[in-house]
Amino acid sequence: VVAKSKQPVRAPAESLSVRCGEEKVTVAVKKDFLGNGQITGLRQYSGCNSSILKTNPAEVAIQCHFQRRHYVSSNAMKPLWKTFAFEMQAKRQLHFSLRLMAEDWQSHRPSNEHFVRDMIHIEAAVLQGHHVPLRIFVDSCVVTVNPDPTFRPRYPFINNHGCLTDAKLTGAQSYFLPRSQEDKLHFQLKAFKFKQDDRNS
C-alpha cells in the first residue's frame, strides 16, 4: 500500500473576501469554498444542521497594503551617527581628582593647611561616567612647597609605579587603605617639613 501525502488545494480567489483594517483583518469564507458546489467546513461546530464535506487542506494567500501616514525623504534627513559618536565620546571622558579628605574619609577637608605630624588623608578618584568600570592606581606622587611638582626641594613619597615608600624610609604610618570602591584609592601621609622651610605648617 502506497500512501500519498495530501497536498494543499489552492482555493479560488472568489471563495473568500478580506477586509484589512488598522487594528484587525476580517476574513469572510463562502460555504462553497472550493467552488465545486458542495459545502466545505474549515471547522465543524456542534449544532450545524447542514452536511459538511471534509476535504484536503486548502491554502489561501492574503495580503494587506496600508497607506503611509507620513512621507519620508532621505534627502531631508541628516545622519546623526557623528553627533551620537561625539556624545558617547564625551560621556566616556575620564575625570581624575586628588583631594584632601577628613579623617572619616566621608567628606572633603575644608582646609589645605596641616601641621607637622598631622596625618594627611588623600583620595585619588576617577569619575568614569558611562565608561566600563575602572580601577584607579597612583603611579607617582611628590611633595613640594610649591604647586609645581618639579620644584626643589621635593620628596617623592610614591614612586616605582605605585610603591608608597614613605613608611619604609621614615617609619611613619603612611599606607594605602583597603579599597571600598574600585574607582577610588585612599592613602595617608604624615605631615612633615623640609629643612629649608622654617614654617610649622
Side-chain angles (χ1 to χ4, degrees), residues 135-149:
R135 171 180 277 196
I136 189 169
F137 294 92
V138 176
D139 187 71
S140 62
C141 199
V142 300
V143 176
T144 66
V145 295
N146 188 289
D148 180 7

Side-chain angles (χ1 to χ4, degrees), residues 7 9 24 31 33 45 47 55 68 78 83 96 118 153 165 199:
Q7 297 294 329
V9 178
K24 65 180 180 178
K31 289 183 179 180
F33 181 67
Y45 296 95
T55 62
R68 292 178 179 171
K78 294 182 179 180
T83 304
F96 293 92
D118 283 352
T165 56
R199 295 174 299 176

Side-chain angles (χ1 to χ4, degrees), residues 190-201:
K190 181 162 283 191
F192 65 93
K193 68 174 185 176
F194 293 100
K195 292 181 179 179
Q196 299 90 335
D197 188 5
D198 57 358
R199 295 174 299 176
N200 65 349
S201 64

Side-chain angles (χ1 to χ4, degrees), residues 10 16-21 25-27 60-66:
R10 189 171 293 278
L16 56 85
S17 62
V18 179
R19 186 167 63 244
C20 298
V25 176
T26 304
V27 180
V60 180
I62 298 174
Q63 291 185 358
C64 289
H65 299 270
F66 299 92

Side-chain angles (χ1 to χ4, degrees), residues 99-112:
R99 295 176 287 196
L100 296 177
M101 302 294 289
E103 291 184 10
D104 60 0
W105 297 97
Q106 300 300 314
S107 59
H108 300 153
R109 194 171 189 275
S111 172
N112 291 338

